Short mmCIF file of all heavy atoms in Angstrom, two decimals:
data_model
loop_
_atom_site.label_atom_id
_atom_site.label_comp_id
_atom_site.label_asym_id
_atom_site.label_seq_id
_atom_site.Cartn_x
_atom_site.Cartn_y
_atom_site.Cartn_z
N VAL A 151 3.66 63.50 -93.30
CA VAL A 151 4.56 62.35 -93.19
C VAL A 151 4.57 61.50 -94.47
O VAL A 151 5.60 60.92 -94.82
CB VAL A 151 4.22 61.49 -91.96
CG1 VAL A 151 4.61 62.23 -90.69
CG2 VAL A 151 2.76 61.10 -91.94
N VAL A 152 3.41 61.42 -95.13
CA VAL A 152 3.34 60.72 -96.43
C VAL A 152 2.47 61.55 -97.34
O VAL A 152 1.33 61.89 -96.99
CB VAL A 152 2.79 59.30 -96.30
CG1 VAL A 152 2.91 58.54 -97.63
CG2 VAL A 152 3.48 58.51 -95.19
N ALA A 153 3.01 61.90 -98.51
CA ALA A 153 2.31 62.83 -99.41
C ALA A 153 1.24 62.14 -100.24
O ALA A 153 1.32 60.94 -100.55
CB ALA A 153 3.32 63.49 -100.33
N LYS A 154 0.22 62.91 -100.59
CA LYS A 154 -0.79 62.46 -101.54
C LYS A 154 -0.11 61.95 -102.79
O LYS A 154 0.87 62.52 -103.28
CB LYS A 154 -1.69 63.64 -101.88
CG LYS A 154 -2.76 63.33 -102.95
CD LYS A 154 -3.59 64.56 -103.27
CE LYS A 154 -4.59 64.28 -104.38
NZ LYS A 154 -5.42 65.49 -104.69
N GLY A 155 -0.62 60.84 -103.34
CA GLY A 155 -0.04 60.29 -104.54
C GLY A 155 1.06 59.28 -104.30
O GLY A 155 1.64 58.74 -105.23
N SER A 156 1.38 59.03 -103.00
CA SER A 156 2.39 58.04 -102.67
C SER A 156 1.76 56.66 -102.57
O SER A 156 0.64 56.50 -102.06
CB SER A 156 3.05 58.38 -101.31
OG SER A 156 3.69 59.62 -101.35
N ARG A 157 2.48 55.64 -103.03
CA ARG A 157 2.04 54.26 -102.86
C ARG A 157 2.54 53.74 -101.53
O ARG A 157 3.71 53.89 -101.20
CB ARG A 157 2.52 53.39 -104.01
CG ARG A 157 2.13 51.91 -103.85
CD ARG A 157 2.27 51.17 -105.16
NE ARG A 157 1.16 51.51 -106.03
CZ ARG A 157 1.20 51.42 -107.35
NH1 ARG A 157 2.31 51.05 -107.95
NH2 ARG A 157 0.15 51.73 -108.09
N ILE A 158 1.65 53.14 -100.75
CA ILE A 158 2.02 52.63 -99.44
C ILE A 158 2.84 51.35 -99.60
O ILE A 158 2.42 50.39 -100.25
CB ILE A 158 0.76 52.34 -98.58
CG1 ILE A 158 -0.07 53.61 -98.41
CG2 ILE A 158 1.17 51.78 -97.22
CD1 ILE A 158 0.66 54.75 -97.74
N THR A 159 4.04 51.34 -99.00
CA THR A 159 4.93 50.20 -99.04
C THR A 159 5.26 49.79 -97.62
O THR A 159 4.80 50.39 -96.64
CB THR A 159 6.23 50.52 -99.81
OG1 THR A 159 7.01 51.42 -98.97
CG2 THR A 159 5.96 51.19 -101.14
N ALA A 160 6.12 48.78 -97.49
CA ALA A 160 6.54 48.33 -96.15
C ALA A 160 7.30 49.42 -95.41
O ALA A 160 7.41 49.36 -94.17
CB ALA A 160 7.41 47.08 -96.29
N ARG A 161 7.80 50.42 -96.11
CA ARG A 161 8.51 51.52 -95.44
C ARG A 161 7.54 52.47 -94.75
O ARG A 161 7.88 53.10 -93.75
CB ARG A 161 9.39 52.27 -96.43
CG ARG A 161 10.57 51.46 -96.96
CD ARG A 161 11.30 52.19 -98.05
NE ARG A 161 10.47 52.34 -99.24
CZ ARG A 161 10.37 53.47 -99.95
NH1 ARG A 161 11.01 54.55 -99.58
NH2 ARG A 161 9.61 53.50 -101.02
N GLU A 162 6.34 52.63 -95.31
CA GLU A 162 5.38 53.56 -94.73
C GLU A 162 4.51 52.93 -93.63
O GLU A 162 4.05 53.63 -92.73
CB GLU A 162 4.44 54.12 -95.82
CG GLU A 162 5.05 55.14 -96.74
CD GLU A 162 5.99 54.54 -97.76
OE1 GLU A 162 5.68 53.42 -98.27
OE2 GLU A 162 7.03 55.15 -98.06
N MET A 163 4.29 51.62 -93.72
CA MET A 163 3.36 50.97 -92.78
C MET A 163 3.74 51.20 -91.31
O MET A 163 2.89 51.65 -90.52
CB MET A 163 3.25 49.49 -93.09
CG MET A 163 2.60 49.17 -94.43
SD MET A 163 0.82 49.53 -94.45
CE MET A 163 0.18 48.00 -93.77
N PRO A 164 4.97 50.92 -90.89
CA PRO A 164 5.30 51.13 -89.47
C PRO A 164 5.29 52.61 -89.07
O PRO A 164 4.98 52.94 -87.92
CB PRO A 164 6.70 50.51 -89.31
CG PRO A 164 7.27 50.49 -90.69
CD PRO A 164 6.10 50.30 -91.61
N LEU A 165 5.65 53.49 -90.03
CA LEU A 165 5.59 54.93 -89.73
C LEU A 165 4.18 55.35 -89.38
O LEU A 165 3.92 56.02 -88.38
CB LEU A 165 6.12 55.71 -90.92
CG LEU A 165 5.92 57.23 -90.88
CD1 LEU A 165 6.62 57.85 -89.69
CD2 LEU A 165 6.36 57.88 -92.19
N LEU A 166 3.23 54.95 -90.22
CA LEU A 166 1.82 55.33 -89.99
C LEU A 166 1.29 54.69 -88.73
O LEU A 166 0.54 55.30 -87.98
CB LEU A 166 0.99 54.95 -91.21
CG LEU A 166 1.33 55.70 -92.50
CD1 LEU A 166 0.69 55.05 -93.71
CD2 LEU A 166 0.93 57.16 -92.37
N ALA A 167 1.69 53.45 -88.48
CA ALA A 167 1.26 52.78 -87.24
C ALA A 167 1.80 53.50 -86.02
O ALA A 167 1.12 53.62 -84.99
CB ALA A 167 1.71 51.31 -87.26
N SER A 168 3.05 53.99 -86.09
CA SER A 168 3.65 54.69 -84.95
C SER A 168 2.91 55.97 -84.62
O SER A 168 3.05 56.51 -83.51
CB SER A 168 5.12 54.98 -85.22
OG SER A 168 5.28 56.04 -86.15
N LEU A 169 2.13 56.48 -85.57
CA LEU A 169 1.36 57.71 -85.35
C LEU A 169 -0.06 57.41 -84.89
O LEU A 169 -0.85 58.34 -84.66
CB LEU A 169 1.31 58.53 -86.64
CG LEU A 169 2.68 58.89 -87.24
CD1 LEU A 169 2.50 59.62 -88.55
CD2 LEU A 169 3.49 59.75 -86.28
N GLY A 170 -0.40 56.12 -84.79
CA GLY A 170 -1.75 55.75 -84.36
C GLY A 170 -2.80 55.91 -85.42
O GLY A 170 -4.00 55.95 -85.11
N ILE A 171 -2.38 55.99 -86.68
CA ILE A 171 -3.34 56.19 -87.79
C ILE A 171 -3.94 54.85 -88.18
O ILE A 171 -3.25 53.95 -88.61
CB ILE A 171 -2.64 56.85 -88.98
CG1 ILE A 171 -2.22 58.28 -88.60
CG2 ILE A 171 -3.56 56.87 -90.21
CD1 ILE A 171 -1.38 58.96 -89.63
N ALA A 172 -5.26 54.73 -88.00
CA ALA A 172 -5.93 53.44 -88.19
C ALA A 172 -6.54 53.27 -89.57
O ALA A 172 -6.69 52.15 -90.06
CB ALA A 172 -7.02 53.25 -87.15
N THR A 173 -6.92 54.38 -90.25
CA THR A 173 -7.53 54.31 -91.57
C THR A 173 -6.88 55.32 -92.49
O THR A 173 -6.34 56.34 -92.03
CB THR A 173 -9.04 54.57 -91.50
OG1 THR A 173 -9.29 55.88 -90.98
CG2 THR A 173 -9.75 53.54 -90.63
#
Side-chain angles (χ1 to χ4, degrees):
V151 289
V152 188
K154 176 182 177 180
S156 299
R157 177 164 285 155
I158 301 301
T159 71
R161 292 173 293 136
E162 286 75 38
M163 293 290 275
L165 170 62
L166 295 167
S168 74
L169 304 176
I171 294 173
T173 61

